[in-house]
């Protein structure tokens, strides 16, 4: 049975006819309300104590301080009947040289019998206390913050509800939100699995995400930080709001519930979809999709075309382009043709030809011809090449001595004209993408390898 103290308040008021601060529970046992208030608190305290000590691997503490400006933390707790608790964590605010290192620390806890049960971590603990200390987190344990609030963590936590699969707590002073869930294995295994998932879905390659309910679409910007922006667009965000989260082995959980669209479709926790293309909310109503398509289109590096997919015309143009480079210098030859940003002066974004600059093929350079690449919708792009497209300085320099280079490059670029649906090899860490023709052009594949 899950005990919910929030709903007991209303029942207590109806039953007793008086105002009471005791938050309460939804008990299925009708005899529970035959007990005096003091006895009910005593009974609840004993039940909470038994719940806390019963988790065989202890608990994961998804701990959010009372401010949206700091990420959520995965702490770990193992409670004993003797009122000893062992906490663990690896957060960056650990002191004495332990920042970002897995650390355990034992201290005492108590379930206070106030107006309602309160879980109190009432002695110093290296894992929790830095989040509660009234010091500037950037200088801890140095200067006191003027208002004495620090990171607005709490060590006295009101029990809102409890059960064998979840305990919900709220800080007494700063309303820190804390959720306890049973740890499925060892604490270090949980940390390792969480870091692996985090590095997969929130890496340095793709940092922005679509948030959609199928009708409305907004964005998460810079999710990896744990404190990120929820906004209407990625570039120059409109109506940005700060949200923080805690990562899990399956995805991430937000500080509080949010909504999207006119009907405010609710979401709070996301887990990896079965096909690994996105993350889905609790009831599959909202998806978080990495902006992998922006990464492939708006890049600063070069992704090369798979030559095995060249058409007969593209193979012919490739050979002629290679001859144009050899006419410029006998030691040069084409290494690859791709799309991206050229490396020479007056660089352009578009068709990029990488060529070897020596006979040993150990050194390369590029020439570039601009292309119009327009994102039409999620995963859809239009490529247009015209005779007016700009060439970078390397292209014009070589063309001065090998006049066929620029016309041949324009001809090759024209073979790409069309509208394409893009499919990545990986929706969070793409290393290649297939461009499937929707209108014009032929299928081709780009690879970053």
């Amino acid at each position: 049975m899950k005990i919910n103290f929030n709903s007991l308040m209303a029942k207590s008021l109806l039953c007793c006819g008086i105002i009471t601060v005791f938050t309460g529970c939804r008990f299925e046992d009708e005899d529970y309300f035959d007990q005096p208030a003091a006895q009910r608190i005593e009974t609840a305290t004993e039940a909470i104590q038994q719940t806390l000590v019963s988790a065989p691997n202890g608990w994961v503490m998804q701990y959010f301080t009372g401010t949206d400006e700091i990420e959520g933390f995965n702490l770990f707790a193992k409670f004993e009947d003797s009122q000893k608790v062992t906490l663990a964590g690896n957060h960056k605010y650990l002191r004495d040289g332990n920042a970002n290192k897995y650390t355990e620390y034992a201290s005492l806890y108590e379930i206070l019998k106030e107006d309602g049960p309160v879980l109190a971590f009432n002695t110093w603990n290296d894992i929790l206390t830095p989040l509660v200390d009234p010091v500037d987190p950037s200088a801890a344990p140095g200067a006191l913050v003027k208002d004495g609030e620090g990171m607005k963590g709490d060590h006295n936590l009101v029990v809102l509800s409890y059960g064998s699969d979840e305990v919900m707590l709220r800080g007494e002073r700063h309303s820190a939100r804390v959720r306890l869930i049973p740890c499925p294995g060892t604490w270090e295994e949980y940390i390792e699995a969480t870091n692996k998932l985090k590095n997969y879905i929130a890496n340095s390659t793709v940092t922005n995400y679509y948030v959609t309910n199928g009708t409305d679409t907004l964005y998460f910007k810079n999710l990896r930080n744990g404190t990120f922006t929820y906004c209407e667009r990625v570039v120059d965000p409109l109506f940005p709001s700060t949200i923080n989260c805690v990562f899990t082995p399956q995805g991430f959980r937000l500080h509080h519930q949010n909504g999207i669209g006119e009907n405010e479709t609710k979401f709070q926790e996301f887990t990896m979809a079965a096909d690994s293309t996105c993350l889905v909310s609790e009831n599959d109503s909202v998806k978080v999709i990495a902006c992998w398509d922006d990464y492939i289109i708006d890049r600063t590096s070069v992704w090369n075309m798979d030559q095995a997919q060249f058409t007969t015309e593209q193979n012919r143009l490739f050979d002629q382009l290679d001859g144009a480079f050899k006419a410029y210098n006998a030691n040069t030859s084409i290494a690859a043709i791709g799309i991206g940003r050229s490396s020479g002066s007056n660089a352009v974004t578009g068709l990029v030809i990488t060529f070897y600059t020596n006979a040993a093929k150990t050194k390369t350079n590029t020439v570039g011809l601009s292309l119009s690449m327009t994102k039409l919708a999620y995963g859809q792009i239009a490529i247009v090449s015209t005779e007016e497209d700009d060439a970078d300085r390397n292209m014009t320099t070589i063309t001065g001595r090998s006049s066929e280079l620029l016309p041949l490059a324009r001809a090759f670029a024209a073979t790409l004209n069309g509208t394409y649906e893009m499919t990545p090899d990986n929706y969070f860490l793409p290393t290649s993408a297939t461009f499937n023709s929707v209108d014009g052009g032929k299928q081709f594949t780009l690879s970053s390898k």
Side-chain angles (χ1 to χ4, degrees):
M1 178 176 66
K2 180 179 180 179
I3 309 300
N4 187 334
F5 283 97
N6 286 324
S7 59
L8 179 56
M9 179 186 292
K11 292 186 178 181
S12 297
L13 291 175
L14 290 173
C15 293
C16 303
I18 60 173
I19 295 177
T20 162
V21 184
F22 179 44
T23 56
C25 54
R26 177 171 51 81
F27 290 98
E28 296 174 3
D29 185 356
E30 295 180 359
D31 293 336
Y32 185 87
F33 285 96
D34 293 335
Q35 300 175 355
Q39 182 59 43
R40 290 201 298 271
I41 295 176
E42 182 66 34
T43 301
T45 299
E46 293 175 359
I48 293 168
Q49 170 81 11
Q50 182 57 39
T51 298
L52 292 177
V53 302
S54 64
N57 300 315
W59 300 85
V60 180
M61 294 180 65
Q62 296 174 336
Y63 190 103
F64 292 93
T65 69
T67 174
D68 289 341
E69 303 302 318
I70 298 174
E71 70 272 23
F73 301 93
N74 280 319
L75 310 182
F76 303 86
K78 179 68 174 175
F79 297 90
E80 300 179 20
D81 284 320
S82 62
Q83 294 189 325
K84 174 186 174 183
V85 61
T86 300
L87 299 183
N90 66 333
H91 60 77
K92 63 184 178 182
Y93 298 106
L94 292 173
R95 299 171 184 173
D96 300 324
N98 290 321
N100 300 313
K101 298 178 182 178
Y102 177 78
T103 306
E104 295 184 6
Y105 195 94
S107 59
L108 299 177
Y109 77 97
E110 183 179 1
I111 301 177
L112 304 177
K113 302 167 188 176
E114 298 182 356
D115 295 320
V118 175
L119 174 60
F121 295 91
N122 47 16
T123 60
W124 178 280
N125 190 293
D126 278 3
I127 309 301
L128 178 60
T129 304
L131 309 182
V132 179
D133 243 8
V135 298
D136 181 346
S138 65
L144 288 173
V145 173
K146 291 181 180 178
D147 57 12
E149 291 183 337
M151 283 185 276
K152 297 186 178 181
D154 285 295
H155 55 76
N156 280 13
L157 305 170
V158 178
V159 181
L160 302 178
S161 65
Y162 65 95
S164 59
D165 59 344
E166 180 184 75
V167 178
M168 298 299 295
L169 310 162
R170 185 190 67 239
E172 280 192 318
R173 182 181 180 193
H174 298 299
S175 296
R177 300 188 186 199
V178 182
R179 177 177 181 244
L180 304 183
I181 55 174
C183 191
T186 70
W187 297 347
E188 290 178 281
E189 287 172 344
Y190 189 95
I191 291 173
E192 181 180 1
T194 298
N195 286 340
K196 182 178 180 180
L197 192 283
K198 175 183 176 180
N199 290 333
Y200 179 72
I201 67 172
N203 50 80
S204 59
T205 296
V206 178
T207 61
N208 302 321
Y209 307 80
Y210 305 100
V211 186
T212 179
N213 61 2
T215 302
D216 304 280
T217 300
L218 296 176
Y219 299 90
F220 286 161
K221 184 176 175 64
N222 298 324
L223 175 65
R224 182 175 178 80
N225 298 334
T227 303
F228 56 96
T229 303
Y230 185 30
C231 52
E232 289 198 359
R233 66 189 186 198
V234 172
V235 179
D236 189 20
L238 286 175
F239 309 111
S241 60
T242 300
I243 300 181
N244 47 1
C245 74
V246 60
F247 288 94
T248 73
Q250 296 80 34
F252 61 95
R253 181 180 177 88
L254 304 180
H255 182 183
H256 52 267
Q257 193 177 69
N258 287 268
I260 184 173
E262 291 185 3
N263 297 326
E264 282 290 297
T265 309
K266 301 299 182 184
F267 58 87
Q268 183 170 10
E269 184 159 0
F270 291 93
T271 57
M272 182 65 72
D275 60 5
S276 298
T277 60
C278 63
L279 296 153
V280 294
S281 64
E282 299 90 331
N283 55 6
D284 294 341
S285 59
V286 179
K287 294 181 179 180
V288 171
I289 304 170
C291 294
W292 57 267
D293 51 351
D294 285 345
Y295 167 65
I296 292 172
I297 298 170
D298 299 324
R299 57 201 162 276
T300 57
S301 58
V302 178
W303 287 36
N304 291 321
M305 296 179 65
D306 181 359
Q307 295 183 35
Q309 292 182 315
F310 278 2
T311 65
T312 299
E313 181 184 9
Q314 287 172 335
N315 275 316
R316 177 180 61 80
L317 291 169
F318 181 92
D319 290 340
Q320 290 178 334
L321 282 164
D322 193 51
F325 276 100
K326 287 183 168 61
Y328 165 71
N329 186 315
N331 290 324
T332 61
S333 60
I334 298 182
I337 297 180
I339 293 177
R341 188 162 182 82
S342 62
S343 58
S345 58
N346 191 31
V348 297
T349 299
L351 185 75
V352 177
I353 303 174
T354 302
F355 64 96
Y356 295 110
T357 59
N358 61 346
K361 298 184 178 182
T362 57
K363 298 180 181 180
T364 62
N365 202 344
T366 67
V367 295
L369 178 67
S370 65
L371 289 175
S372 170
M373 295 184 290
T374 305
K375 180 178 174 180
L376 303 178
Y378 166 68
Q380 190 176 85
I381 184 176
I383 299 177
V384 178
S385 169
T386 73
E387 290 296 318
E388 305 302 318
D389 293 331
D390 294 330
D392 69 4
R393 194 158 299 158
N394 281 357
M395 177 77 80
T396 56
T397 297
I398 296 177
T399 300
R401 291 177 55 184
S402 182
S403 60
E404 291 300 310
L405 179 60
L406 183 55
L408 288 169
R410 292 193 189 283
F412 193 100
T415 68
L416 303 180
N417 285 347
T419 302
Y420 301 88
E421 294 282 356
M422 298 182 291
T423 304
D425 64 331
N426 186 302
Y427 283 78
F428 292 93
L429 282 169
T431 59
S432 70
T434 300
F435 287 61
N436 296 295
S437 175
V438 175
D439 181 20
K442 299 294 183 180
Q443 182 191 80
F444 65 92
T445 298
L446 294 181
S447 175
S448 63
K449 298 178 180 178

